[in-house]
Amino acid sequence: MLEAAKRWALLLKRDVVALYLAARSPLTPWFARVAAACVAAYALSPVDLIPDFVPVLGYLDDLLIVPLGIWLVIGMIPPELMARFRAEATEITARPRSMAGLAFVIVVWLAALALVGWWLLRRE
């Protein structure tokens, strides 16, 4: 059962990336592009309709709203086009993550924190 849940989560992740690609493609019908952009933005956003700290209801959007939105938008996109977006999304999600990119982001954040600390110390 745990393996099935992991597989379902991976497929959802792939479909969110596929919807992002669909929203950017001029081949996608305009109404599907708008809906795909909204669903992908909501799924990728750190802000939820119902915050996760709200007991039970907080996870309903993750378990119901996002998959339902994905399902509805996939129905708006022609199947052959959606298959192409899913194949591209599979390639994107299978790519190795860049440790150099992670290191760069960490260095930028540390530099920003050091600059703020230096500025605060100079004010005193």
Side-chain angles (χ1 to χ4, degrees):
M1 187 165 136
L2 183 61
E3 286 301 316
K6 285 182 183 180
R7 174 106 174 104
W8 183 70
L10 286 174
L11 291 176
L12 276 179
K13 179 181 176 184
R14 180 209 58 196
D15 282 349
V16 168
V17 174
L19 290 183
Y20 169 77
L21 296 170
R24 297 188 55 165
S25 173
L27 301 174
T28 305
W30 70 268
F31 55 89
R33 287 178 74 181
V34 172
C38 291
V39 170
Y42 183 77
L44 298 172
S45 171
V47 179
D48 287 342
L49 184 63
I50 304 167
D52 288 342
F53 63 82
V54 176
V56 180
L57 294 177
Y59 291 107
L60 278 182
D61 64 340
D62 298 328
L63 295 173
L64 295 176
I65 295 173
V66 172
L68 182 63
I70 290 170
W71 178 72
L72 289 172
V73 175
I74 287 173
M76 297 178 189
I77 299 172
E80 62 279 353
L81 200 54
M82 192 63 205
R84 192 170 105 194
F85 295 138
R86 281 180 169 153
E88 193 175 341
T90 300
E91 287 178 25
I92 290 170
T93 57
R95 289 183 189 152
R97 298 199 180 9
S98 169
M99 294 309 276
L102 174 64
F104 176 75
V105 170
I106 289 172
V107 167
V108 168
W109 275 105
L110 290 174
L113 287 172
L115 186 61
V116 168
W118 174 79
W119 180 73
L120 287 173
L121 288 174
R122 283 198 46 129
R123 287 186 58 206
E124 293 177 354

